Amino acid sequence: MLSLFIPQDLRDIPNYPRYWFSQFVSFMANQVLMMAFGWHVYAITQSALSLGYIGLMLFAPQMLLVLVVGHVADRYDRRTIVMITQTLECMVAGSLALASFYDVQSEQLIFFAAFCIGAIRAFQGPALQAMLPGLIPLNSLPKAIALGSASRQFATIAGPALGGLLFFGGNTFVYTASALLFALAFGAMLRIRYQPHEEPRRPVNWETIFAGVKFIWRRPVILGAISLDLFSVLIGSATALFPIYAEHILNTGSWGLGLLRAGPAVGALILAIYIARFPLKEKVGRTMFIGVAVFGVTTIIFGLSEWFWLSFTMLIVMGAADMISVVVRSSLVQLQTPDDMRGRVGAVNSIFIGASNQLGDFESGVVAEFFGTVPAVVAGGVGTLLVVGLWIKMFPGLYHWDRLTANEPPGENSATSPTSSTKNP
C-alpha cells in the first residue's frame, strides 16, 4: 500500500512511513467526525444556522489559543503532544458514541465536542508540522509536504464518503469508527523513534510568546508567502456559494453539489502526488505567483460558466493551482524557520490558513447577498489577480526566490519591513 503513495527514498527513512500513516489516519478520522457533526446536528435541529455554529466552535479555540499552542510545541516533546491530542480526540469520539448508544440527543453536546476538537487540533497542528523536519533530511522536506497535502486531499474526498456509508449503522457506529481511527493513528505515532531537539528552556514571557509573530514580520519571504495565500483565498473563495450554483445556475441539484465540492480536492490531490514524485526545482517563487494567478483566472471562469462540466473542470484546475501555493508556502515556512521556532511560527501560519477559509466563505456570502452570486465570484477572481500584482511589487524577494532550500539569503536576518527585497541567488 505504501508503495502506491510514498516514493522509495521516503520509504527508506525509518520513521517517515509511520509518521505519514499516523497523519493520514488522523485526517480520515477527523473528516469522518466532521461529517458526523454536521449530519447529526442537522438531524436534531433541522437548522442551517446550527451547521454554521459547528464551524465557529471549531475555529474559535484555535484563534484563542494561537499564541499558547505554538509556545507549547517549541517547549515540550512534540511527539508526546501529538499522542496526547490523538488520545483526547479518541476520547471525544468515544464519548459521543456512548451518548448516541444511550440515545442522548443534544445539539449542545455536539457543539461542546466540536469546541473540544478545535482546541485539541490547535495544539496538534503546530506540533505535528514542527515534528516533520526532525524526521527527514531537509532536502526531502518539500516532497514530504506535498505527500502530506496529497493524503489530506484524499481524506477530504474519501472521509465524508466513508462517514456516509458508516451512517447506515447509525450514529454510534460512526463515532466508534472515528474513535478507532484515532486509536490507530496513536499506535503508529507511538512506534516512531523521535529525538526532541534539545534547546535551553527560556522563561515564559511576552517576548517568547509573541516570538512567532515577530519572526514572521521580520522575514519578508515568509510574510509574503503566508499573506499571499491569506488574501487570495479570502477574496477569491467561492466554496460557500456552491449550493447556489448547483441549484440555480448549473441546475444539477445535490449530485452536482457533491461534485463541485470534490472538484478542488481532486485537482489538489493529483498535483500533490505529482510534486511528491517530481519536486519543484527552480523559480519556485515565480511558480507560486503563477499558481495563485491561475487560481484567480479559474475563479472568474467558474463564476461566469453556466455549463456544469466546464465549471467542474475549472474547479479541478483551481485546486491544482492552489496546491502549488500550499507546497511552496509550507516548504518555505519550514525551511526558513529554526527548529526552536517552528511551533510558534506554525501556529501563526495555521491561523492565517483557517482565517482565509472561514472568513473567505463569510466574505463571499456577504458580497453575494448585496451584489449577486455571479458578480461576487467574478469580483473575487479579479481581486485575487490584483493581489498577485500588488504582492509582486511588495515582496520581490519572494517572487525571485529560486529554490526550496534551507539556505537563508544574505540580508534576510536584517530585513525589518514586509516590503524589503531579499533575492535568493
Side-chain angles (χ1 to χ4, degrees), residues 189-405:
M189 186 62 61
L190 183 64
R191 296 181 61 203
I192 293 176
R193 297 295 173 260
Y194 176 69
Q195 183 63 40
H197 186 73
E198 294 295 335
E199 287 284 341
R201 290 189 177 181
R202 300 176 181 178
V204 179
N205 52 42
W206 288 113
E207 182 179 356
T208 57
I209 290 176
F210 282 93
V213 177
K214 185 178 180 180
F215 181 89
I216 291 173
W217 180 258
R218 288 186 171 182
R219 281 153 179 82
V221 169
I222 298 179
L223 177 61
I226 294 177
S227 58
L228 175 64
D229 179 80
L230 168 65
F231 286 102
S232 61
V233 176
L234 177 65
I235 295 173
S237 175
T239 306
L241 303 179
F242 284 176
I244 299 176
Y245 270 87
E247 186 69 23
H248 301 293
I249 297 176
L250 302 175
N251 300 311
T252 60
S254 58
W255 71 267
L257 175 60
L259 287 178
L260 292 180
R261 288 193 174 278
V266 170
L269 173 62
I270 293 171
L271 195 75
I273 293 174
Y274 176 84
I275 295 178
R277 297 284 178 177
F278 307 99
L280 300 172
K281 295 185 180 299
E282 58 184 15
K283 299 180 179 178
V284 295
R286 186 176 303 177
T287 302
M288 179 183 183
F289 277 100
I290 291 173
V292 177
V294 171
F295 179 89
V297 171
T298 52
T299 299
I300 294 172
I301 298 174
F302 171 81
L304 295 172
S305 172
E306 296 182 358
W307 184 37
F308 175 79
W309 292 111
L310 174 61
S311 301
F312 182 62
T313 301
M314 287 301 100
L315 291 178
I316 293 176
V317 177
M318 184 190 302
D322 185 53
M323 181 52 58
I324 296 174
S325 176
V326 169
V327 171
V328 174
R329 182 196 71 244
S330 299
S331 299
L332 282 175
V333 170
Q334 292 278 38
L335 290 168
Q336 299 303 313
T337 304
D339 187 76
D340 64 319
M341 289 288 300
R342 285 196 174 108
R344 282 165 286 182
V345 172
V348 177
N349 184 34
S350 297
I351 287 299
F352 271 65
I353 296 171
S356 66
N357 292 324
Q358 302 288 339
L359 296 181
D361 287 347
F362 176 73
E363 178 271 339
S364 60
V366 171
V367 175
E369 179 70 22
F370 285 97
F371 300 101
T373 302
V374 172
V377 175
V378 173
V382 173
T384 297
L385 295 177
L386 293 176
V387 167
V388 170
L390 182 60
W391 257 240
I392 290 175
K393 290 185 175 297
M394 291 176 61
F395 301 95
L398 175 61
Y399 178 76
H400 292 292
W401 195 275
D402 189 38
R403 297 177 184 274
L404 292 175
T405 66

Side-chain angles (χ1 to χ4, degrees), residues 81 132 190 379:
I81 295 172
L132 178 58
L190 183 64

